[in-house]
Each structure stands twice: as C-alpha cells, then as structure tokens.
Amino acid sequence: MVLPGLPPRGTPGVAPGSDPSQDNGLIGHLLAPNEHLIGADPAPLLTALNALRTTNDLADRHPDHTFLPLPQALSQWQKAGVDISPFRDGHAMTCHRYAALGLRQLLPLERVMVAVSSRRHGAFGGFHHPDQGYRHLQMRAVVTMYGRMSEGIPQVPALAVLDLLRAYAHDCLHYGSYRSYLLHEEKVVRSQYGLNFRRRDGRSYSVPDRVLSPTTRNLGVVMEGACDREARSITRRTAAEHGIVVADGTDGFAFRDVTGQLAPADTATLAGHCAGRTSEPAAYLARMGTYETNVNDRYAGFLAEIGQTEAEDLHTVVLSTVISGNMSTLCTWLDRRYGPGAFAALFMSPGYLSLGDPPDRTGLTLAG
C-alpha cells in the first residue's frame, strides 16, 4: 500500500535522488540515526538544525529546578549511596531489545538533562511532570527526578532509578524514530514522523479519539502507546530482576505505573481521589491517570482489537515501522488480515483527501 503523496519506495518522505549521507560527516553528527533531510541542498537545513541542537536552553523552561546531565545525576546519586545498577542493567536490556527492532544507537546519555532538585516549595518530579520529555528539534530530553525535589537525592531511591529508566527507554524510541526534515518558510518541519503524517496545509492523516473511546484510531496515540509499552516492559523486567517492589500510597501507584501494572481500579482511584486537590503529588497522580486512560489503555485496546491473538506481533511491527519509516511492513501485516487498504481504512481522516484543492506535490508534513 502506498500512502497518498509518498513515493512507493519503502522510505517515505525522502526526496528521490537526494543523498543526505554525502556530507563529510556533518549530517551524521547533527542527526539522530533515523533522521533524513529533504532537498537538493541540505546546507540551510543543517545550519538551522545546528543552531537548535548546539544550544542547550530547554532547562530555562523550569527556572526553579537544578539540572544535571544524566551521567552526572547518576554519579551524584551513587556517591550518596543510591544503587544505580538497575539503570545500568536496564540500559543494557534496552540496547539488546531495541537493536532487535532495528535501532542500534540509543539516545546519548549526556543529551538527557535530569532535574535533581528544586527551590520551588512542594516540587514533585517524575515521568508525569509537566513540560518534559524528548524534544526532537533540540535532539535532547528533559526529565525530572521522581518524588519530592527539595533535596538532590531521591527520597525513594529504587523507584527514582526505575522512573528514570522508564523515561530514558521511552525517549530512546522517540530519538530513534524515523523523521524526515525540510525547510518551510525558513522553519524546520517534519515531513514524516514514524508512521504519522500531516499534509502541509494542516490536514492530519488521523483524527483525535473520542473522549470515552476504549481504543484508538489516532496515529500519535499508537506511537506514544507503543513507545511507553516497550519502555515499561523493560522497566518491569528490571524491577523483577532486582527484586524491587513498592506497594503503598503515591509511591505504590508510581511503581505500578513505571512497570506497566496499573489496574483499572487504580485508574479509577486516581481520577476520583485526586479531583480538586492542588498539591503537586496529587496533580502528578491525576496526570498519571489521564495518561494511562488516554494513551496506554487505548493502545492496549487497539492491540487487542486489531491484533487479537497476534497482539504482541502487531506491537513489534508497529515499533519496527516507527523506527524504520518503511510503511510497507505494517501495511502488509494489516492487509493480510483485513484486506487491501486496511491502514487507510483504520486511520485516514475523511477530510484528509478532499476534492478541489490544488495538488500537494510535496508529500506530507507533520506538525508537533
């Protein structure tokens, strides 16, 4: 199956005839492993990316927090007596698993900034802290230490290490996802991101899910859910190998969250217990519940609905496609089970291909 506006080459979005590898090493230095450039002359695009990726100002969005590169954060914790071996073992597990999926280069540890303390009263960090995660334009990740951030050392060390592993494994998949970039009105934009597309005029290939939907037809949710399912699987295995269990209170919810073991009763409790509460831990739990409902639960519903007894196989195919950008693998998988054109039937918005518009010969452009 060929998506509208894409060349039938298995490398969607890459301009025919362009060879971004011929760059004397500059492109390889600036780009993540599965990023590509569109255009006969990559120099202006490289200049724009260089400006974004050599300036580290993402921490400015959190002026109350103190950030360290991830290796320094781990070193600081280790000197204070924290056992960081679960992160190291989980990192090795991540290398092995992602290589099998086609990703052989992980997000460099020094490009992950960890907020290890905060002067803001009551600050509470972790995976669900606002305004953090992987930033593709800067090719950096910004994360926060799990728990109260009044000190530079986590109050629940084992859980903080697992939370950091989950965030890192998750962001590695965003880092390693297929992207093609072009310059549009002097701005860097993505023409493809994994298996997700948007036309240059703003029309999205898929539409947002209904509020109470138990499954998803949104490609952004599919990709986010796939990344987090894989990251939490690695974290769960790491926790089991190290005998880490946290059962009670906020930390208990957080442990079940990072290991992918939140039950429906947990999600309901998070929604009800945290309603109207203003403390940062309560707000953190509320965001946890929302993310579980809108991303992880819907992705699990999608796998069960479409993958059925082959749900794990479908998950692997989705992740491999996100990494490679080769839509033929996923489209073939779906076509064999649901007939020709299954991908479009599942995901394409009714308004995506409307009549009367001038031809869009530039393919697809992603926003966000």
Side-chain angles (χ1 to χ4, degrees):
M1 173 184 175
V2 178
L3 295 176
L6 293 177
R9 304 176 55 226
T11 51
V14 179
S18 65
D19 186 2
S21 65
Q22 304 301 313
D23 67 311
N24 297 320
L26 180 59
I27 293 180
H29 175 71
L30 287 176
L31 298 185
N34 294 310
E35 292 182 335
H36 304 270
L37 305 181
I38 294 178
D41 180 11
L45 188 51
L46 281 172
T47 299
L49 283 172
N50 182 65
L52 289 165
R53 294 182 171 181
T54 57
T55 302
N56 186 11
D57 58 358
L58 290 175
D60 294 346
R61 299 183 183 184
H62 305 280
D64 294 330
H65 296 350
T66 298
F67 285 84
L68 292 175
L70 192 152
Q72 292 184 30
L74 288 177
S75 177
Q76 177 172 293
W77 293 359
Q78 186 176 37
K79 290 177 181 177
V82 174
D83 179 9
I84 64 171
S85 63
F87 186 90
R88 290 175 174 169
D89 293 346
H91 183 275
M93 192 184 301
T94 302
C95 289
H96 178 77
R97 168 60 175 166
Y98 290 4
L101 293 169
L103 178 60
R104 293 172 176 81
Q105 180 180 328
L106 300 185
L107 174 61
L109 295 174
E110 62 273 11
R111 297 195 73 86
V112 181
M113 301 301 296
V114 183
V116 296
S117 64
S118 179
R119 65 174 181 264
R120 187 176 73 233
H121 178 71
F124 194 95
F127 183 83
H128 299 289
H129 184 283
D131 196 16
Q132 70 169 37
Y134 183 70
R135 301 293 181 254
H136 72 97
L137 287 176
Q138 291 80 13
M139 203 169 73
R140 291 182 186 272
V142 176
V143 301
T144 51
M145 176 183 75
Y146 171 78
R148 297 191 181 277
M149 301 175 64
S150 56
E151 305 291 340
I153 305 301
Q155 293 182 333
V156 187
L159 182 53
V161 172
L162 290 179
D163 184 83
L164 183 59
L165 173 61
R166 184 257 193 108
Y168 177 74
H170 181 113
D171 287 342
C172 278
L173 287 171
H174 288 308
Y175 166 78
S177 297
Y178 183 96
R179 289 182 187 82
S180 52
Y181 288 108
L182 54 82
L183 276 178
H184 177 60
E185 298 179 351
E186 300 185 354
K187 293 183 178 180
V188 179
V189 296
R190 292 179 291 190
S191 59
Q192 182 184 348
Y193 171 36
L195 48 87
N196 203 2
F197 307 93
R198 181 172 293 171
R199 299 196 76 88
R200 183 170 288 192
D201 61 11
R203 282 174 290 175
S204 178
Y205 193 89
S206 61
V207 297
D209 295 320
R210 298 186 306 274
V211 173
L212 298 179
S213 176
T215 183
T216 185
R217 292 294 184 271
N218 182 273
L219 291 170
V221 172
V222 169
M223 291 184 8
E224 179 71 8
C227 291
D228 204 45
R229 181 186 180 93
E230 196 62 39
R232 297 204 297 181
S233 174
I234 289 169
T235 307
R236 181 169 59 252
R237 290 171 56 194
T238 301
E241 289 183 2
H242 285 261
I244 301 172
V245 178
V246 183
D248 299 327
T250 298
D251 296 334
F253 283 115
F255 175 77
R256 295 192 292 279
D257 175 48
V258 301
T259 56
Q261 298 180 91
L262 283 174
D266 287 327
T267 308
T269 299
L270 291 171
H273 178 71
C274 300
R277 301 197 178 191
T278 59
S279 70
E280 290 210 21
Y284 184 88
L285 291 177
R287 289 190 296 270
M288 179 192 299
T290 299
Y291 185 86
E292 184 71 8
T293 298
N294 293 341
V295 176
N296 287 314
D297 285 351
R298 286 179 181 173
Y299 181 63
F302 167 77
L303 291 179
E305 175 196 13
I306 304 302
Q308 300 181 20
T309 59
E310 300 174 286
E312 285 303 318
D313 185 43
L314 175 57
H315 170 65
T316 298
V317 171
V318 166
L319 277 179
S320 297
T321 302
V322 168
I323 292 168
S324 71
N326 186 342
M327 296 299 300
S328 63
T329 304
L330 176 59
C331 290
T332 298
W333 195 98
L334 293 170
D335 287 350
R336 286 176 177 173
R337 291 156 179 83
Y338 295 100
F343 183 89
L346 283 169
F347 296 110
M348 190 166 68
S349 166
Y352 181 72
L353 296 176
S354 59
L355 299 176
D357 294 314
D360 182 354
R361 303 185 185 280
T362 60
L364 305 162
T365 300
L366 257 189

